[in-house]
Amino acid sequence: MNFSFSQLKMFFVFALLSIAFSNSQTSAGYDLWLGNSEIREPTILLEYQNFTNSIFFSGGNSILLNAQKELVKGLKAILGRESDVQDFPNLLNTMWVAKKDGLNQELQSALKGNFEQIGKEGFIIKSVSVDGKNILLISANEDIGILYGVFKFLQLMKMQKSLDEINLIEAPKIDLRMLNHWDNLDRTIERGYAGFSLWNWQKLPEYKDPRYEDYARANASIGINATALTNVNANALVLTSAYLEKVAALADVFRPYGIKVYLTARFSAPMEIGGLNTADPLDKDVIEWWNNKVTEVYKYIPDFGGFLVKANSEGQPGPQNYGRTHVDGANMLATALKPFDGLVIWRAFVYSETDATDRAKQAFTEFVPYDGNFLDNVLVQVKNGPIDFQPREPFHPMFGAMPNTPLVMEFQITQEYLGFSSHLVFLPKLYEEVLYAETYKKGKNATVAKVIDGSLYNNKISGMAGVANIGTDLNWTGHPFAQANWYGYGRLAWNPYLSSETIAEEWLRLTYTNDSAFVEPIKAMMTVSREAVVNYMTPLGLHHLMDTGHHYGPGPWVSDLSRPEWNPTYYHKADKDGIGFDRTPSGSNATSQYAPEIAKIFNAPETCPEEYLLWFHHLPWDYKLKNGVILWDAIALKYQEGVEQVEEMISIWDQAKKYITYDQYNEVRMLMEIQLKEAKWWRNACLLYFQTFSGREFPPGMELPAENLEYYKSLKFPYAPGN
Ligand code: BDP
């Protein structure tokens, strides 16, 4: 075949374009917060060069090899040159990376007392002066501490922090820092909005997608040390040997990054894959089946973490099917796991179709009486609020109410109820609000964070779980800013006392640039984004107004589902007299599940924080808020405010355009267009619907809906993702 010159030219242009395109694709967010390495500050750069001229790295197993690999690669990206890394110490070394036992006497004594503070996973980064020479040290008790220390060190450099007098002694405050993947074996993800599951079960165990390692690396860089691979609505097949072999292959990739694998255990597995005719936790054959199964699991995965269990919740099987309790079920599994140091993480997300009491009360009622009855390798996992991952909920009253049971905080990182992966919502703001909440359980200063990290009740183990927002999308999370939610979740699991602003700043610097002209306004934009979504979806304590099933968009009118508590009308209770759910003693009395100090505040509409007003009170449309505005007007104006906040976010983003690449700018800009459109949709649909009860005009200042209520009600989304 002959090509003309112009055809050849076209071919070259095409080839060049596709190379450029694939390059821009691989850099389009794939590197996460491990990406940006530019250092613009010359004095800082010089300091870094001095410290990293000659490095002694005391090597060892695969975790340390990874740490060394990260250090070499990271320094090269930052400094633009290779550092001299040696595995024997000498006089020229400007930096030492070694566990305690790899340090010489002099350096060990320079760190005296520090090693007791950092436990198994912590690290020390310290500049010490030995014989008049400044040496930078990264040390730890265990290998994993070195890996975490190296990641931290590189992050500090990327954020242009001076290392001159650094003295950082850090250890995680929470033991179990876990991701929960709601991934199905067919690779769909329940409530996943970033593509399909990373786990390619079909090709495992032979084919290990390089992405598994990138996943592990990203997690290790923020200290995540556990991952539950499968959906809580579990499939028993993952416990068969054919799948365990695949799980083992993933565990092998994650192990050198300090990450343990967990699986969800379907309670009826002994029947489904074991051929038994019962799954009764007190039945001796069932007990034996689980014992054998656990032994088998540990043959494949010697450091298997344990089981995450959703039982007797939303139709999932559980011990109650056999007249047994959550304690019977959890302890049976815990007994099987105990010899291998495995854990049971038993979820408290329960509400029953036969229980007519307020759904918000049911988990507390069911679980709190069991406090102290679970074996010591059982943790109870509780969602942040008493309903279900809403844009805003008061903290779950179980936090603080079970002193003898380690409670794992369950946050949702995937944005099931917060606009999927099209809305920019910075979730650490939400997490922080919950963690900072005062429980009054042992006097003042008994925050939820103190319950979770085990310090309030001296629990022996502590944990936090985040329902992952990760999928096969090139940028992992669908929305570039949803990466900040993965990052921020990890940071708070490491230290639940960090502020969301600190996290936003770190993430922006590590992901985009250190230029404060970019960082400051965008940080402010991220900070406001959470309040914006509350305002345009569910202001003033409203909740669960989402359309049902897929939870995409507004559906406050839905009232015909079989279970009452699946209907939005159950939650807002709008009628001609007013709106809101009375959870005070005159209503469901859910407030009684909180400490009396808090119940008192929540019980009176005058003292109840306005952001929870309609969560706890049913109030007349003309009820006057603190600022004198009547409730109907206030609701309408809050919805309007939410829309305006998104407009403001867009204008901030537009001004930041010059600090980042066009692709980085444009991707977010296009998503913001969706967010604005949907914010208006939420406002219009909810207000037109509530207006049918209030019978009042919209207040001045509110942009009038573009369509009528029938239009909004007619919208259907049979293929909304994640369902
Ligand atoms: C709800 C989700 C559902 C989950 C459930 C859970 O809609 O898909 O299975 O939570 O946490 O929010 O078990």
Side-chain angles (χ1 to χ4, degrees):
M1 198 184 286
N2 289 325
F3 290 104
S4 69
F5 178 67
S6 64
Q7 275 175 322
L8 275 176
K9 211 168 86 180
M10 268 189 39
F11 174 77
F12 273 116
V13 169
F14 180 74
L16 281 175
L17 272 177
S18 47
I19 290 169
F21 182 64
S22 66
N23 277 344
S24 79
Q25 278 204 332
T26 48
S27 63
Y30 185 84
D31 293 340
L32 297 157
W33 49 88
L34 298 153
N36 175 36
S37 298
E38 49 116 73
I39 308 286
R40 293 239 187 92
E41 204 37 72
T43 48
I44 293 268
L45 197 59
L46 194 67
E47 182 194 296
Y48 292 173
Q49 278 161 350
N50 287 340
F51 270 126
T52 56
N53 271 333
S54 159
I55 302 171
F56 163 57
F57 197 111
S58 169
N61 65 24
S62 51
I63 293 186
L64 289 176
L65 283 177
N66 276 336
Q68 184 164 346
K69 201 166 80 185
E70 286 301 329
L71 186 66
V72 169
K73 190 164 129 191
L75 286 177
K76 187 165 179 220
I78 295 170
L79 306 173
R81 62 139 170 82
E82 307 272 354
S83 299
D84 182 17
V85 182
Q86 300 148 347
D87 57 6
F88 52 91
N90 66 42
L91 287 173
L92 295 175
N93 294 149
T94 46
M95 182 171 167
W96 281 54
V97 186
K99 283 193 290 182
K100 184 180 178 187
D101 49 22
L103 298 177
N104 62 23
Q105 237 15 70
E106 235 171 341
L107 291 174
Q108 275 200 29
S109 59
L111 303 186
K112 202 160 44 73
N114 295 161
F115 289 105
E116 285 91 78
Q117 294 169 256
I118 56 170
K120 283 190 172 159
E121 294 179 297
F123 55 81
I124 303 158
I125 306 178
K126 194 168 188 164
S127 96
V128 296
S129 174
V130 181
D131 296 334
K133 191 174 134 196
N134 262 6
I135 293 185
L136 203 112
L137 266 177
I138 301 181
S139 195
N141 289 316
E142 305 278 345
D143 303 333
I144 188 66
I146 295 287
L147 180 65
Y148 290 156
V150 163
F151 274 122
K152 186 69 182 189
F153 174 69
L154 293 169
Q155 284 159 6
L156 293 171
M157 290 175 99
K158 288 177 182 187
M159 290 190 288
Q160 306 192 143
K161 305 278 183 209
S162 172
L163 303 174
D164 222 8
E165 290 179 8
I166 191 160
N167 185 7
L168 197 66
I169 300 157
E170 267 209 37
K173 296 198 190 303
I174 293 179
D175 301 318
L176 202 64
R177 305 176 297 279
M178 187 176 207
L179 285 179
N180 286 182
H181 288 266
W182 286 358
D183 293 16
N184 298 311
L185 299 183
D186 65 3
R187 296 192 76 178
T188 57
I189 305 182
E190 180 146 347
R191 314 309 177 183
Y193 312 105
F196 287 89
S197 169
L198 294 180
W199 325 134
N200 191 338
W201 297 110
Q202 181 66 23
K203 289 186 177 159
L204 282 163
E206 290 82 6
Y207 180 73
K208 299 183 188 76
D209 190 328
R211 201 162 181 176
Y212 302 151
E213 190 168 351
D214 292 339
Y215 162 87
R217 217 182 136 230
N219 280 320
S221 78
I222 46 176
I224 287 173
N225 64 358
T227 180
L229 300 176
T230 44
N231 192 352
V232 285
N233 297 321
N235 185 329
L237 284 181
V238 78
L239 298 176
T240 59
S241 54
Y243 275 94
L244 288 175
E245 216 187 337
K246 299 167 192 282
V247 173
L250 288 173
D252 289 344
V253 180
F254 301 159
R255 189 171 299 113
Y257 289 92
I259 298 170
K260 277 192 183 181
V261 159
Y262 289 67
L263 291 174
T264 47
R266 186 162 163 88
F267 206 77
S268 50
M271 299 161 77
E272 286 156 15
I273 57 169
L276 302 187
N277 57 14
T278 177
D280 181 346
L282 301 191
D283 179 279
K284 82 174 189 349
D285 293 338
V286 171
I287 295 171
E288 192 187 322
W289 187 86
W290 279 110
N291 286 343
N292 291 337
K293 182 49 73 183
V294 166
T295 309
E296 185 191 351
V297 170
Y298 278 89
K299 281 209 182 95
Y300 283 101
I301 310 145
D303 58 349
F304 179 66
F307 292 136
L308 170 64
V309 189
K310 172 176 179 177
N312 293 120
S313 158
E314 297 186 328
Q316 294 298 305
Q320 291 172 353
N321 298 30
Y322 309 94
R324 314 296 182 194
T325 66
H326 288 293
V327 175
D328 295 329
N331 286 355
M332 181 270 294
L333 292 175
T335 308
L337 287 157
K338 186 77 188 170
F340 306 94
D341 289 332
L343 301 174
V344 172
I345 303 172
W346 194 268
R347 294 177 85 229
F349 177 66
V350 295
Y351 58 99
S352 159
E353 63 268 42
T354 56
D355 186 345
T357 60
D358 179 2
R359 171 177 168 185
K361 291 177 71 178
Q362 294 183 24
F364 181 104
T365 310
E366 211 168 313
F367 273 85
V368 171
Y370 296 138
D371 187 32
N373 296 347
F374 292 102
L375 293 178
D376 66 359
N377 57 334
V378 177
L379 298 95
V380 172
Q381 182 162 305
V382 185
K383 288 189 181 182
N384 61 272
I387 297 286
D388 197 358
F389 298 140
Q390 295 303 295
R392 172 169 276 131
E393 297 191 32
F395 73 91
H396 202 303
M398 279 176 72
F399 293 117
M402 295 183 74
N404 304 301
T405 311
L407 299 184
V408 175
M409 167 66 76
E410 180 175 320
F411 284 127
Q412 195 179 43
I413 315 174
T414 191
Q415 290 169 239
E416 174 181 359
Y417 298 97
L418 291 104
F420 295 5
S421 60
S422 347
H423 292 211
L424 191 164
V425 182
F426 181 54
L427 292 175
K429 193 76 190 151
L430 182 166
Y431 306 156
E432 162 191 79
E433 182 174 287
V434 178
L435 292 165
Y436 285 12
E438 177 63 71
T439 70
Y440 283 101
K441 283 296 172 171
K442 274 176 92 191
K444 232 182 140 24
N445 243 328
T447 58
V448 172
K450 287 191 177 167
V451 175
I452 292 312
D453 74 4
S455 61
L456 191 67
Y457 295 123
N458 284 322
N459 302 115
K460 283 202 213 75
I461 185 165
S462 57
M464 194 187 278
V467 180
N469 61 348
I470 302 162
T472 50
D473 274 10
L474 215 54
N475 68 7
W476 304 85
T477 55
H479 198 303
F481 274 73
Q483 296 180 355
N485 295 334
W486 175 9
Y487 177 85
Y489 161 73
R491 296 290 288 130
L492 285 167
W494 180 273
N495 179 1
Y497 303 93
L498 280 177
S499 82
S500 63
E501 286 189 25
T502 305
I503 293 169
E505 169 148 1
E506 285 177 7
W507 179 78
L508 285 168
R509 284 165 170 264
L510 295 172
T511 306
Y512 290 103
T513 167
N514 278 299
D515 194 331
S516 58
F518 173 83
V519 172
E520 290 307 318
I522 301 304
K523 189 168 76 180
M525 176 190 87
M526 290 166 80
T527 303
V528 89
S529 64
R530 189 296 183 107
E531 208 55 40
V533 75
V534 171
N535 288 337
Y536 64 71
M537 284 189 185
T538 52
L540 295 169
L542 289 170
H543 50 289
H544 224 305
L545 305 183
M546 296 75 197
D547 203 355
T548 53
H550 49 59
H551 297 152
Y552 172 61
W557 45 78
V558 177
S559 62
D560 57 354
L561 300 173
S562 56
R563 289 178 63 166
E565 74 285 3
W566 282 351
N567 290 309
T569 50
Y570 172 92
Y571 299 97
H572 63 68
K573 302 204 183 316
D575 55 24
K576 66 173 183 6
D577 298 326
I579 182 168
F581 198 127
D582 183 359
R583 294 193 162 105
T584 69
S586 61
S588 79
N589 203 16
T591 52
S592 66
Q593 295 181 334
Y594 292 94
E597 292 88 337
I598 304 186
K600 193 168 161 230
I601 296 170
F602 288 161
N603 277 338
E606 301 76 34
T607 52
C608 180
E610 267 172 12
E611 61 263 32
Y612 302 129
L613 198 60
L614 303 175
W615 185 283
F616 289 114
H617 297 274
H618 186 85
L619 295 170
W621 294 108
D622 61 358
Y623 174 82
K624 270 213 175 110
L625 271 76
K626 289 190 192 90
N627 62 2
V629 176
I630 62 161
L631 182 60
W632 165 249
D633 289 357
I635 294 175
L637 292 172
K638 277 283 173 197
Y639 272 106
Q640 177 65 25
E641 189 183 335
V643 170
E644 285 168 12
Q645 282 166 318
V646 178
E647 283 164 346
E648 180 62 18
M649 285 163 60
I650 294 178
S651 111
I652 297 176
W653 187 248
D654 282 344
Q655 287 161 43
K657 187 175 174 179
K658 54 180 173 294
Y659 303 102
I660 48 180
T661 68
Y662 178 76
D663 287 347
Q664 285 175 324
Y665 160 77
N666 194 41
E667 188 179 7
V668 174
R669 185 66 174 77
M670 290 189 290
L671 290 165
M672 286 176 136
E673 233 18 90
I674 304 179
Q675 187 171 6
L676 181 60
K677 186 176 78 183
E678 295 187 353
K680 290 183 176 172
W681 169 33
W682 267 94
R683 175 196 64 195
N684 296 348
C686 291
L687 288 176
L688 284 168
Y689 168 72
F690 291 137
Q691 193 179 42
T692 64
F693 301 102
S694 80
R696 290 170 183 265
E697 296 286 301
F698 292 122
M702 205 202 105
E703 190 190 321
L704 294 179
E707 308 285 345
N708 64 20
L709 179 59
E710 288 321 304
Y711 165 79
Y712 294 110
K713 280 183 159 178
S714 74
L715 299 175
K716 296 282 174 279
F717 305 94
Y719 303 113
N723 194 13

